[in-house]
């Protein structure tokens, strides 16, 4: 990544949307039930463009994204890893096949990693920044009329996954993002901020 390729905030034009930041925050819910609608490459690119503006101490750009095309060979390879990993642990073909199909059927699928740094402190900061990047991406998904499921389950745990995607073995998995048009509404609950806040 060269200095000349760096984006400058004053030169970036945000996509037009009717969704406010507050609406995106409150409407962003995990949802893994999608219609057959496939998000466009352009929409996914806008979401990735939003992701890289996450808070990033020392500007290390620690996030790495892998977008797996639906129907592509790499998606099929990763789906098989999901099957193998779960079957090795459970011996249950049906559950393992469900994990494989989840990877195959997702309208859009993005794997996110964080790269290590020279110190444990900076590595932890990199991971935190990559998590913020995922939140940015999922908020942008809401603005695109989409929903996402941020998973750190079986589909992220095969030891050969990073190498299969083209990453390095010492990268930290941040999650698999299953993204699509939601087929059902989703809701959640939270404790009010007043219950977890001290004004000193």
């Amino acid at each position: 990544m060269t200095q000349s390729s760096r984006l400058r905030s004053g030169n970036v034009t945000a996509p037009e949307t009717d969704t406010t930041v507050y609406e995106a925050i409150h409407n962003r819910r995990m949802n893994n039930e999608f219609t057959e609608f496939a998000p466009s490459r352009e929409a996914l690119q806008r979401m990735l463009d939003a992701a890289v503006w996450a808070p990033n101490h020392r500007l290390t750009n620690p996030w790495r994204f892998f977008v797996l095309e639906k129907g592509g060979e790499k998606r099929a390879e990763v789906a098989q890893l999901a099957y193998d990993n779960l079957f090795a642990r459970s011996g249950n073909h049906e559950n393992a096949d469900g994990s494989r199909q989840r990877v195959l059927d997702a309208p859009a699928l993005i794997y996110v990693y964080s790269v290590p740094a020279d110190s444990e402190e900076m590595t932890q900061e990199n991971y935190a920044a990559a998590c913020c990047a995922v939140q940015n991406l999922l908020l942008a998904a809401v603005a695109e009329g989409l929903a996402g499921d941020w998973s750190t389950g079986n589909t992220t745990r095969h030891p050969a996954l990073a190498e299969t995607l083209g990453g390095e073995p010492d990268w930290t998995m941040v999650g698999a993002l299953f993204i699509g048009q939601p087929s059902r509404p989703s809701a959640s609950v939270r404790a009010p901020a007043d219950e977890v806040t001290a004004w000193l």
Side-chain angles (χ1 to χ4, degrees):
M1 216 174 294
T2 64
Q3 276 307 114
S4 61
S5 71
R6 298 297 168 97
L7 302 169
R8 298 201 175 276
S9 57
N11 298 331
V12 175
T13 302
E16 292 186 14
T17 174
D18 294 329
T19 305
T20 70
V21 171
Y22 285 107
E23 287 171 335
I25 290 170
H26 288 287
N27 292 329
R28 183 219 54 79
R29 301 274 67 81
M30 294 302 167
N31 195 327
N32 58 10
E33 295 181 26
F34 305 117
T35 69
E36 292 297 315
F37 174 80
S40 69
R41 188 183 185 115
E42 291 75 19
L44 294 174
Q45 185 63 61
R46 287 191 292 271
M47 292 156 58
L48 291 162
D49 288 341
V52 301
W53 285 101
N56 179 206
H57 190 206
R58 300 186 175 96
L59 299 180
T60 56
N61 297 286
W63 33 71
R64 299 294 183 269
F65 306 101
F66 297 93
V67 183
L68 277 62
E69 298 284 349
K70 189 168 185 179
E73 290 183 16
K74 194 57 67 174
R75 179 89 76 106
E77 282 183 58
V78 170
Q80 187 59 44
L81 292 181
Y83 174 91
D84 293 343
N85 194 56
L86 189 53
F87 187 75
R89 289 189 294 115
S90 70
N92 187 310
H93 166 73
E94 186 175 351
N95 288 349
D97 194 54
S99 190
R100 172 168 51 197
Q101 282 304 129
R102 184 172 186 227
V103 171
L104 292 174
D105 294 343
L109 178 58
I110 303 173
Y111 277 87
V112 185
Y113 284 86
S114 171
V115 299
D118 294 335
S119 69
E120 180 59 32
E121 177 187 4
M122 289 179 63
T123 295
Q124 187 172 6
E125 288 177 354
N126 281 357
Y127 178 75
C131 289
C132 289
V134 169
Q135 174 75 343
N136 274 13
L137 191 153
L138 293 174
L139 292 176
V142 174
E144 297 284 348
L146 303 170
D149 181 20
W150 180 356
S151 174
T152 55
N154 179 68
T155 58
T156 69
R157 295 181 180 174
H158 194 287
L161 179 60
E163 181 182 2
T164 299
L165 292 171
E168 299 294 332
D170 63 343
W171 290 3
T172 302
M173 167 60 68
V174 179
L177 309 180
F178 296 80
I179 298 168
Q181 186 180 70
S183 62
R184 60 166 176 83
S186 56
S188 187
V189 295
R190 294 289 190 276
D194 285 350
E195 291 185 10
V196 293
T197 304
W199 296 78
L200 305 176

